Amino acid sequence: MNLLSVNDKEGTYPPSFYASNITAIADCDAVQGDLNCDVCVIGGGFTGLSTALHLAQKGYSVRLLEAQRIGFGASGRNGGQVGQGQRVDQDELEDMFGEDRARALWEIGMQAVECVRDLSQSDLVHADFHPGIAHADHRARYVPHSRDYVEKMNTKYGYEHISFLDKQEMQELVQSQAYHGGSFDTRSGHIDPLQFALGLARMAQKAGVKLHENSHVRSIQHGPTAVVKTDAARISAKYVVMACNGYIGNLDADVTRRVMPINNYIVATEPLSDADRAKVLAKNIAVADTKFVVNYFRFSDDNRMLFGGTESYSYKFPKDIAAQVRKPMTDIFPQLQDAKIDYAWGGTLGITMNRLPHYARYGAGNVLSMSGFSGQGVALGTLSGQIAAEAIAGQAERFDIMSQIPSPKFPGGTLMRQPLLILAMLWFSMRDKL
């Protein structure tokens, strides 16, 4: 199944709130002919755009190929949350890798947020970084862990930007009876993801990158000089960077075994008054809860509630996304029961077995892949481009730290992995409800 087209029209952005008010990037014609460059980047999301930008700033000639439109995939459809650290918390990372490696991964996660914050300040990026993410405990039994975790991050890691919230403090911040406490991180934040992606594209073009939309890569021929082929072009490059995430398809069998696409869904309500907005969130923050299938939400700059979550067990989007997402939204916020939903859309992201990114080199070592950000892609995906550029320029320390993370293959191969994932998601969904 071609996930680039099964739910979307060729060459068209999804019917999202984000895509309703953009100016598309000019000079992105489909690639044609027999071409040469230093680096060919495959994928026009955060990772690919960041890779291309940082390489061009180092003096490399770069062509970026996007099968659909710039920011078409998860980069332009997600909840816009820019969170610290990895997708897995430090307790688990310490158990998995020991304290030294866990601390190195935490540092990279912090650098990821700063990377987004710094890039968003460019005049070419028409998206503001808004500070603040609350992590909300949907079960009272999770609250003691949140308290202990905040203390650990404050003392052991010296991270003073996170604070514990008891039930009353959480409900003053998030106007819902659904949550029992949690934490609040003032250094994390949220951003309009599609505007951020388009801003990266403008920055990349200004630095000299050639961007090509509607350029579906069909194969990569490995060798000291790699050859990337589309239906209309043949590009010879010293390096290739695969930045395809959930849309990798059959381009690389090894990545496909380790990074699985799943769908997630978001709605945008009509704009609310300032008074009604304050009855939902007391501050302009983003929120994510502790469910396995996470509910996440924030307000847009024009006061729309952007609420994401729910899962599906097919690669086809449900017929009525709005109805499917409205239920958890109104369960958490009954005060939004009568709010009109203006936009509803789905997207495909890439997850890994351990929810940590998959970094690897292929071929003669000159084909790099970074993907599987498992919901942490705004920050980690953007930083991954900077890290890839460093590695190609000979500074591979951060790439090596990330590539040394074990990345297990999904059981069952490409045929059985989706049914097995469905069983796992059903089990976790039942656990969330208990």
Side-chain angles (χ1 to χ4, degrees):
M1 182 178 292
N2 182 5
L3 293 178
L4 287 163
S5 59
V6 67
N7 294 301
D8 300 286
K9 296 180 181 178
E10 294 280 351
T12 303
Y13 285 104
S16 72
F17 163 68
Y18 302 134
S20 68
N21 59 352
I22 61 168
T23 300
I25 303 298
D27 300 323
C28 294
D29 293 340
V31 67
Q32 295 185 35
D34 197 345
L35 304 169
N36 295 274
C37 59
D38 292 330
V39 186
C40 181
V41 177
I42 306 170
F46 298 137
T47 305
L49 292 166
S50 178
T51 300
L53 167 64
H54 287 100
L55 282 168
Q57 289 175 337
K58 293 177 181 294
Y60 290 83
S61 64
V62 185
R63 288 185 182 271
L64 182 148
L65 312 184
E66 163 56 45
Q68 290 270 26
R69 307 292 302 277
I70 297 298
F72 165 88
S75 294
R77 310 183 190 213
N78 66 81
Q81 299 203 9
V82 190
Q84 296 284 353
Q86 304 289 330
R87 179 66 174 80
V88 176
D89 70 23
Q90 292 306 114
D91 288 340
E92 191 170 347
L93 289 176
E94 289 178 2
D95 290 342
M96 294 168 70
F97 306 122
E99 291 188 11
D100 289 345
R101 180 72 64 82
R103 191 175 290 276
L105 292 173
W106 168 255
E107 292 292 333
I108 286 174
M110 285 201 299
Q111 293 161 8
V113 173
E114 296 310 307
C115 182
V116 173
R117 186 192 294 269
D118 291 346
L119 289 169
S120 72
Q121 294 174 5
S122 167
D123 291 339
L124 297 174
V125 177
H126 308 152
D128 294 326
F129 181 97
H130 301 288
I133 293 182
H135 295 278
D137 293 332
H138 80 288
R139 291 286 182 260
R141 65 179 181 270
Y142 296 163
V143 175
H145 175 265
S146 291
R147 182 187 293 109
D148 293 343
Y149 189 71
V150 167
E151 182 180 0
K152 175 177 181 173
M153 298 310 295
N154 292 162
T155 56
K156 184 174 181 178
Y157 282 82
Y159 186 68
E160 299 178 351
H161 303 288
I162 189 171
S163 58
F164 170 71
L165 301 177
D166 63 22
K167 185 172 184 178
Q168 180 179 341
E169 291 168 329
M170 177 61 76
Q171 292 183 354
E172 288 173 355
L173 192 60
V174 181
Q175 308 287 303
S176 173
Q177 297 297 311
Y179 300 121
H180 301 268
S183 63
F184 183 50
D185 188 334
T186 59
R187 198 65 185 170
S188 297
H190 58 99
I191 197 168
D192 181 313
L194 182 53
Q195 289 286 15
F196 180 58
L198 296 175
L200 293 180
R202 286 187 283 269
M203 293 176 70
Q205 282 184 322
K206 185 176 180 179
V209 176
K210 302 296 184 183
L211 301 179
H212 300 283
E213 295 182 322
N214 302 307
S215 300
H216 190 173
V217 173
R218 303 297 182 178
S219 66
I220 302 170
Q221 180 181 317
H222 294 283
T225 297
V227 179
V228 176
K229 295 180 181 179
T230 73
D231 291 336
R234 182 182 185 276
I235 303 99
S236 299
K238 298 174 185 175
Y239 294 91
V240 173
V241 176
M242 294 189 293
C244 308
N245 209 33
Y247 293 91
I248 185 72
N250 295 319
L251 186 59
D252 187 282
D254 186 71
V255 178
T256 300
R257 295 184 189 103
R258 302 172 196 275
V259 178
M260 179 184 290
I262 64 168
N263 295 334
N264 205 261
Y265 308 100
I266 305 180
V267 299
T269 68
E270 62 188 337
L272 304 183
S273 68
D274 289 341
D276 285 340
R277 171 176 171 160
K279 294 176 183 177
V280 179
L281 294 177
K283 296 181 180 180
N284 183 20
I285 63 167
V287 183
D289 68 21
T290 51
K291 289 192 172 184
F292 180 79
V293 181
V294 179
N295 292 312
Y296 52 93
F297 43 90
R298 65 185 181 92
F299 276 101
S300 65
D301 291 342
D302 66 348
N303 280 10
R304 299 174 187 272
M305 165 55 77
L306 303 176
F307 190 99
T310 76
E311 74 281 358
S312 69
Y313 306 127
S314 167
Y315 289 137
K316 281 286 287 182
F317 294 166
K319 292 182 179 179
D320 193 345
I321 294 173
Q324 185 160 322
V325 181
R326 178 183 282 278
K327 184 181 186 306
M329 181 180 75
T330 54
D331 285 346
I332 295 170
F333 297 113
Q335 59 268 48
L336 293 178
Q337 186 67 50
D338 296 327
K340 180 176 177 288
I341 291 178
D342 284 347
Y343 301 90
W345 67 95
T348 302
L349 64 150
I351 65 169
T352 60
M353 279 283 288
N354 57 13
R355 299 300 188 268
L356 294 170
H358 172 58
Y359 275 53
R361 292 179 184 262
Y362 295 103
N366 59 343
V367 177
L368 282 63
S369 177
M370 302 87 65
S371 58
F373 302 109
S374 303
Q376 198 86 335
V378 184
L380 291 176
T382 303
L383 184 72
S384 291
Q386 187 183 76
I387 291 174
E390 291 173 355
I392 288 171
Q395 301 292 325
E397 180 181 0
R398 290 197 293 179
F399 190 94
D400 290 344
I401 290 172
M402 297 300 291
S403 66
Q404 288 165 10
I405 297 173
S407 188
K409 298 176 183 178
F410 280 92
T414 56
L415 292 178
M416 287 301 296
R417 64 179 187 165
Q418 187 191 12
L420 290 172
L421 179 66
I422 290 171
L423 289 174
M425 292 179 72
L426 283 169
W427 186 89
F428 281 111
S429 180
M430 290 174 60
R431 189 191 69 169
D432 282 344
K433 293 178 173 65
L434 293 176

